[in-house]
Amino acid sequence: MFLKNAEGSYEPAFFIIRIESDEQPEQLAKQHEATFIHEYLHLLQDLVMPYCMRENMVLLEIFRAQINHARETREMHLPSNFTNKDVLELKRTSEFTWGSRDFHTEVISIDGIRLEEEVSESYGYKLYRYFLSGSGVHEYHFGARDLLEYIASKIETHHFPDVPPPPRPAISIC
């Protein structure tokens, strides 16, 4: 049995496009070109957009800290559960700026935006995150992921108007 739609995903900073389907590989590219293009746009974003480059550097810095720890202790456990003050701060920064991982398909309106600010005592900078509320969405953590999805979805629907759009974050629906 063949799927009517393929599901795709992209792993930021790892340059991995995944397209899941029951179709044969030869038919997959032809049948689900829009899905592939959407995920390929995320790969291009990863390569050229400053936010994505920053996220890539965050992941590389975490990996470097884990390697240094392995060198010091002369052992490595996979998956690594190593953490330190710097790794925790890097992960916190990503969490603040990346946004929610939820998708909302029934957003009618955005009625309020709440800013949350947090100071990094150790490093002397501020982190910001925004929460959207409205009809069909409550306290949605809006971030860079929403903008990246919005850009990719707009390009995809422009070039493939007959293909139903994929689920998107709240901001791209309103």
Side-chain angles (χ1 to χ4, degrees):
M1 169 140 211
F2 288 47
L3 294 175
K4 293 195 172 153
N5 290 319
E7 289 190 22
S9 63
Y10 177 73
E11 266 188 68
F14 293 100
F15 311 108
I16 296 172
I17 294 174
R18 294 189 203 303
I19 299 179
E20 298 175 19
S21 176
D22 292 337
E23 296 182 15
Q24 298 298 315
E26 310 82 54
Q27 297 167 333
L28 185 63
K30 188 187 309 178
Q31 298 283 338
H32 302 291
E33 185 179 21
T35 302
F36 174 76
I37 294 298
H38 179 95
E39 301 310 330
Y40 186 70
L41 287 167
H42 288 314
L43 183 138
L44 294 175
Q45 290 170 336
D46 221 5
L47 293 173
V48 300
M49 295 184 81
Y51 178 79
C52 296
M53 289 179 200
R54 185 183 137 268
E55 185 65 16
N56 294 345
M57 296 305 292
V58 163
L59 292 172
L60 286 171
E61 187 62 25
I62 291 170
F63 184 61
R64 186 193 62 75
Q66 291 171 337
I67 296 268
N68 286 343
H69 176 72
R71 284 185 178 141
E72 290 169 10
T73 62
R74 312 276 265 161
E75 62 182 33
M76 179 180 267
H77 301 276
L78 295 176
S80 175
N81 59 2
F82 168 74
T83 193
N84 65 16
K85 180 179 90 166
D86 296 331
V87 169
L88 290 173
E89 187 68 15
L90 287 165
K91 288 180 178 180
R92 190 168 139 262
T93 301
S94 277
E95 177 204 324
F96 260 70
T97 57
W98 193 248
S100 179
R101 302 214 183 266
D102 297 337
F103 285 90
H104 295 274
T105 56
E106 301 297 324
V107 175
I108 297 166
S109 67
I110 302 295
D111 302 325
I113 300 172
R114 181 175 64 82
L115 169 64
E116 186 176 288
E117 179 181 305
E118 194 172 300
V119 176
S120 170
E121 301 293 333
S122 302
Y123 297 92
Y125 60 82
K126 290 182 183 178
L127 292 172
Y128 302 94
R129 61 179 156 189
Y130 299 88
F131 293 92
L132 307 180
S133 291
S135 182
V137 65
H138 179 70
E139 290 293 298
Y140 177 81
H141 181 189
F142 174 77
R145 176 182 160 267
D146 298 286
L147 297 174
L148 297 171
E149 280 297 329
Y150 180 77
I151 292 166
S153 294
K154 281 297 190 183
I155 293 170
E156 177 187 0
T157 54
H158 176 76
H159 291 284
F160 300 95
D162 298 332
V163 176
R168 293 170 288 197
I171 190 62
S172 59
I173 308 236
C174 57

